[in-house]
Amino acid sequence: MKRNPRKLKWTKAFRKSVGKEMIVDSTLTFAARRNIPVRYNRDLVATTLKAMERVSAIRAKRERVFYKNRMAGNKEREKAANEKLVAENEHLLPRMRASEKMAQMVEEPLVEKAAVELPAPRRREKQKVKQRLLVTGAMEQQMDVD
């Protein structure tokens, strides 16, 4: 039975169409097959293997960043869903005694004052360094100035 691959959730076509996988990335072109016979050259093989390792590292890093950006709003959405669930089913929760309410109200202002008085620690921003692998196998570094 023929099926549309964009409708089957386990296919690459579905994942790309829904935005769960990277579509446009220069590292994906390296995985394409090239059926051109090349005469064996030890230096060419060594540089190719180094380039393959570098490309796989770049791809892994980009995939991690892509995943983090895709999952960025999950905590807020989950918290909102939990609050909604509690609000809808509040009648199922045990009621709080008056003495417990008073104790909670006394503790809340003390916690807020302590949080306001603490100064926020300063963080230094790291400078970005771009690295490029040269054909000779050496690394070239460039400072990225924002």
Side-chain angles (χ1 to χ4, degrees):
M1 174 173 20
K2 291 184 179 178
R3 298 209 172 172
N4 187 349
R6 284 176 302 220
K7 291 184 179 179
L8 297 173
K9 295 194 176 195
W10 54 269
T11 61
K12 287 278 194 182
F14 172 83
R15 292 185 63 78
K16 287 181 180 179
S17 67
V18 177
K20 292 183 178 285
E21 264 186 48
M22 292 191 301
I23 300 171
V24 181
D25 191 25
S26 60
T27 60
L28 298 174
T29 59
F30 288 106
R33 287 186 70 155
R34 291 166 187 82
N35 293 327
I36 302 169
V38 179
R39 189 171 176 177
Y40 176 77
N41 182 355
R42 176 178 276 175
D43 296 332
L44 178 65
V45 170
T47 55
T48 303
L49 291 175
K50 285 182 184 176
M52 286 170 58
E53 290 173 4
R54 181 79 177 130
V55 166
S56 64
I58 291 170
R59 181 184 296 157
K61 182 180 176 184
R62 288 182 182 172
E63 285 176 353
R64 278 195 308 271
V65 170
F66 180 79
Y67 181 80
K68 280 186 179 180
N69 289 339
R70 197 165 62 86
M71 298 294 161
N74 276 2
K75 288 184 181 178
E76 291 82 18
R77 272 188 244 120
E78 188 175 330
K79 185 176 180 183
N82 290 343
E83 288 175 354
K84 181 182 175 188
L85 182 69
V86 168
E88 288 176 353
N89 300 315
E90 197 170 357
H91 62 280
L92 298 175
L93 296 174
R95 295 194 177 196
M96 199 180 293
R97 295 187 193 116
S99 59
E100 292 173 346
K101 285 183 184 178
M102 290 297 291
Q104 185 180 15
M105 292 181 71
V106 169
E107 290 176 8
E108 285 179 2
L110 297 175
V111 173
E112 291 176 7
K113 287 180 184 177
V116 172
E117 292 174 9
L118 295 175
R122 294 184 183 181
R123 284 203 270 171
R124 288 186 168 182
E125 294 184 23
K126 294 182 180 178
Q127 290 183 343
K128 295 180 183 177
V129 177
K130 289 186 179 178
Q131 293 183 344
R132 188 168 55 188
L133 183 65
L134 301 176
V135 177
T136 60
M139 296 293 287
E140 178 184 339
Q141 295 184 353
Q142 298 172 347
M143 296 297 289
D144 188 23
V145 179
D146 289 331

